[in-house]
Amino acid sequence: MTRDLFAADALTVAPLLLGSRLTVTSDEGAVTVRISEVEAYHGVGVPGRYDPGSHSRDRRTERNASMFGPPGHAYVYFSYGMHFALNMVCSPEGVASGVLIRSGEVVEGERLAQLRRSAKRGHPAPVPARSLARGPGNLAAALGITREAHNGRDLFEAPFAFAPPETPPADIAAGPRVGVAGEAGGPAFPWRFWIPGDPTVSAFRPGRGAPRG
DNA sequence: TTATCGATTCTCT
DNA sequence: GAGAATCGATAAA
């Protein structure tokens, strides 16, 4: 059962998701991405180190509620007034942990992904293929993810479809998380994982007050 | 190539 | 009311 993959905590699961495929289907069609970059976030109830960078670090709120839900489901949040971001919920129900899907390569539905990205930007100039799902906001846009339609939904049922990697990546790189403030965004938390050399991996941006490393 | 900044709105304090 | 798990444009170097 591939669903069992998500029973472990996010830090364990995150690197195992690299190279996996996620499909989202809608009336408009289906878009599939091969995941190239992820980040782990640990919240309430996860054994081990306190993660000050997580939405669910202290308590359950209305926004982060689905991070406490059953593993193998989606946690979708709205960011900076204009972007959605997709997480895969890990750990047993009641324990909050999730893997943020940062980037991927569009392997199916490139035309639809391109249309969605153009619509969001407000002009029709195409974006380079490697940038279609580069960065969490862009990936969610390419897949047509919204909080209303997808938050809390099962990743193994429509409109989602999830498949683990057929052959895991030969190499995996790890480093600080992107855009996370303070120590949680520094080398003390190398909880970002990516496929080295993959052109779809997003650019690193340090968070406010994040230490250099 | 690196750095800074505006857009836009939701969530939590 | 402050700040945010971002993006893309623009400026500086």
Side-chain angles (χ1 to χ4, degrees), chain A residues 33-203:
Chain A
V33 295
R34 174 181 158 273
I35 294 169
S36 61
E37 182 186 5
V38 298
E39 286 177 0
Y41 289 88
H42 279 184
V44 175
V46 181
R49 193 145 51 123
Y50 174 71
D51 176 9
S54 171
H55 287 165
S56 55
R57 61 189 173 276
D58 293 329
R59 59 190 155 276
R60 180 179 183 132
T61 66
E62 186 167 358
R63 175 172 67 159
N64 66 29
S66 53
M67 258 181 111
F68 290 77
H73 286 232
Y75 164 49
V76 179
Y77 69 90
F78 190 58
S79 176
Y80 289 93
M82 56 188 96
H83 306 295
F84 290 104
L86 171 68
N87 293 248
M88 295 184 178
V89 176
C90 302
S91 299
E93 189 162 5
V95 176
S97 82
V99 177
L100 171 67
I101 311 302
R102 284 197 59 86
S103 300
E105 173 194 0
V106 176
V107 295
E108 181 199 349
E110 184 174 330
R111 192 184 203 87
L112 177 54
Q114 190 72 251
L115 279 173
R116 285 170 169 159
R117 296 277 275 104
S118 296
K120 183 159 182 171
R121 295 192 309 156
H123 66 89
V127 300
R130 69 166 182 272
S131 300
L132 274 175
R134 193 180 199 222
N138 291 334
L139 180 136
L143 291 173
I145 298 280
T146 65
R147 194 171 75 144
E148 186 178 43
H150 300 99
N151 187 34
R153 300 288 288 271
D154 191 334
L155 295 171
F156 292 90
E157 291 179 7
F160 287 110
F162 176 82
E166 293 169 16
T167 55
D171 276 312
I172 291 177
R177 294 175 295 190
V178 175
V180 177
E183 283 298 318
F189 286 85
W191 289 12
R192 171 181 175 237
F193 303 92
W194 67 94
I195 300 175
D198 192 302
T200 64
V201 172
S202 64

